[in-house]
Amino acid sequence: MALTIGELGKATDTKVETIRYYERIGLLPKPPRTGGNYRAYGAAELGRLSFIRRARDLGFPLDQVRALLSLSDDRGRDCATVDALARDHLSEVERKIADLTALRRELSALIESCCGGTVADCRIIEALAPHTNG
Amino acid sequence: MALTIGELGKATDTKVETIRYYERIGLLPKPPRTGGNYRAYGAAELGRLSFIRRARDLGFPLDQVRALLSLSDDRGRDCATVDALARDHLSEVERKIADLTALRRELSALIESCCGGTVADCRIIEALAPHTNG
DNA sequence: CCTTGACCCTGTAGTTGCTACAGGGTGCAT
DNA sequence: ATGCACCCTGTAGCAACTACAGGGTCAAGG
């Protein structure tokens, strides 16, 4: 079983350029090549790339994906480190949700205040530039 | 009243490099220079930069900030365009909140399932790589 | 007068995570 | 032999800054 880069891409829903990018930054190993210098992937690479994509879908940044990968290779190790990584990431996500929720409230209030006149008395513009424009 | 770039930065809580960057991309006008080739800012630039920073704090991307700025200069115009921009941005924010909330649920479930053994039977790693690692 | 230090200048490269070329080579079908 | 889909390398672009390197300016203190 040997996959071309395009086949690997289809199997993992990843663009070819992204796979080459992962190889360039050392997230994927350099695979063997065919006579025509094409990359030839096997099951191991398919598994590794699937792992990467799942972690990315869960929003882990690439350096955390890298850490998770090396942890997953070290199967005898205490999984507390993995747990800590996931918890860190969860709290990042929660922080972002809180920020965006505050933002939503502010934006809603801004939009509510718009009563449809001209820009000269637009509350949105006014709220953005409270000390100037006059 | 003339401000150096550093004073303008302090007044608007903006790094000096960021101000120069805004000038480079045409968001701020090129200000007059002193004899020693220092930028000399006045009240207009202070107002404009305050506007930009507020819009950025509300999460508007720079191209929308640019649009808002040009709308705010056109004071006789119907403010429906401003309203539409703000509504677009609000729905973007809402979409992000929804995405992150789904993510939070998935991550929490993942973390819940961790029972503190070794990586070999870690549910987090398992969830990331369901078809491989064995 | 000279030095020290804080500030300013330009220009360029780095960040994150890809994406999109340009300019070529390979492999298979017709 | 010719077309087409795919592959190769290398580089530049996106957002929105940030961080230098390598210099110039200015006010204060000795």
Side-chain angles (χ1 to χ4, degrees):
Chain A
M1 168 206 174
L3 299 169
T4 65
I5 195 170
E7 288 162 350
L8 181 62
K10 261 172 209 129
T12 57
D13 196 28
T14 308
K15 297 208 167 130
V16 165
E17 288 93 340
T18 305
I19 297 175
R20 285 196 283 246
Y21 168 71
Y22 287 164
E23 180 181 325
R24 201 160 60 245
I25 65 171
L27 212 55
L28 282 176
K30 287 181 194 296
R33 300 292 180 113
T34 66
N37 199 30
Y38 286 16
R39 289 168 178 84
Y41 294 102
E45 285 96 341
L46 177 58
R48 193 171 172 97
L49 183 52
S50 303
F51 185 108
I52 293 169
R53 298 303 285 179
R54 280 178 173 260
R56 292 290 300 131
D57 284 350
L58 288 169
F60 286 93
L62 285 181
D63 58 347
Q64 287 188 15
V65 174
R66 214 185 282 270
L68 286 169
L69 276 167
S70 84
L71 288 170
S72 82
D73 286 346
D74 198 353
R75 303 177 57 71
R77 183 177 189 149
D78 187 343
C79 87
T81 315
V82 175
D83 195 54
L85 258 171
R87 278 177 202 281
D88 271 12
H89 180 46
L90 177 59
S91 60
E92 259 303 290
V93 168
E94 280 169 344
R95 202 184 50 71
K96 279 184 192 159
I97 290 173
D99 283 0
L100 286 173
T101 303
L103 203 54
R104 177 173 57 186
R105 200 170 4 255
E106 279 199 74
L107 274 174
S108 297
L110 217 57
I111 289 168
E112 276 307 300
S113 72
C114 179
C115 49
T118 63
V119 166
D121 38 39
C122 178
R123 299 293 169 92
I124 296 175
I125 295 288
E126 202 178 306
L128 285 169
H131 307 307
T132 43
N133 268 328
Chain B
M1 167 207 177
L3 299 169
T4 65
I5 195 169
E7 288 161 351
L8 181 63
K10 261 173 207 127
T12 57
D13 196 28
T14 308
K15 298 208 166 134
V16 164
E17 288 94 341
T18 304
I19 298 175
R20 286 197 283 247
Y21 168 70
Y22 287 164
E23 180 182 325
R24 201 161 60 244
I25 64 172
L27 213 54
L28 282 175
K30 287 180 195 295
R33 299 292 181 114
T34 67
N37 198 31
Y38 286 17
R39 289 169 180 83
Y41 294 101
E45 285 96 342
L46 176 58
R48 194 172 172 94
L49 183 53
S50 303
F51 185 108
I52 294 168
R53 296 305 285 180
R54 279 179 173 260
R56 291 291 301 130
D57 283 351
L58 287 170
F60 285 94
L62 285 182
D63 57 348
Q64 289 188 14
V65 175
R66 213 185 283 269
L68 287 169
L69 276 167
S70 83
L71 288 170
S72 82
D73 286 344
D74 197 354
R75 301 176 60 69
R77 183 178 189 146
D78 187 342
C79 87
T81 316
V82 174
D83 194 54
L85 259 171
R87 279 177 202 280
D88 272 11
H89 180 45
L90 177 59
S91 59
E92 258 303 290
V93 168
E94 280 170 345
R95 203 185 50 70
K96 278 185 193 158
I97 290 173
D99 284 359
L100 285 172
T101 304
L103 201 55
R104 175 174 57 186
R105 197 168 11 249
E106 278 199 74
L107 274 173
S108 297
L110 215 59
I111 289 167
E112 275 308 300
S113 71
C114 180
C115 51
T118 63
V119 166
D121 37 41
C122 177
R123 298 294 169 94
I124 297 176
I125 294 289
E126 203 177 305
L128 285 169
H131 305 307
T132 42
N133 267 327

